[in-house]
Amino acid sequence: MTIRAVSSQPAASTAANTGAQNQQAAAATQPASKTQAPTTTTTQASTPSASYAVTISNAARAAFAEATETSVQTAQEANRGDRQAQRLLAKEQANKLG
């Protein structure tokens, strides 16, 4: 199982671009009769996006499956002889009684 994180721009660059765009929009809405101060726009070189591959081991997959199974699945596994499921059901029963 591979999970990739992809980003086209860093967050700081996006915020800077939005601010520059807001300044340009505000300048465009002013009447032409007023003297406008020159607006400088900084451009940042885009950095290559980073990607990460994550591999989940079989043991971690099994632990996740055990942690997220329903009580019905646990009961079915206990009836089929799964010792871990039998211990979990016994523990749940003791908590109800005690």
Side-chain angles (χ1 to χ4, degrees):
M1 177 183 208
T2 303
I3 300 172
R4 297 191 184 270
V6 180
S7 173
S8 61
Q9 289 185 342
S13 173
T14 304
N17 288 342
T18 303
Q21 290 170 353
N22 288 343
Q23 288 176 354
Q24 290 173 352
T29 60
Q30 293 179 352
S33 63
K34 291 186 177 181
T35 305
Q36 296 179 1
T39 305
T40 59
T41 305
T42 59
T43 57
Q44 296 178 351
S46 62
T47 58
S49 62
S51 66
Y52 302 96
V54 177
T55 304
I56 300 173
S57 68
N58 289 336
R61 287 177 199 251
F64 179 73
E66 286 291 326
T68 57
E69 72 184 15
T70 65
S71 60
V72 173
Q73 290 171 321
T74 303
Q76 289 172 347
E77 290 178 2
N79 289 334
R80 284 186 246 133
D82 185 345
R83 301 293 290 172
Q84 182 179 4
Q86 290 172 351
R87 281 193 306 273
L88 180 60
L89 287 178
K91 184 178 179 181
E92 289 176 354
Q93 187 65 26
N95 286 338
K96 283 182 183 179
L97 296 176

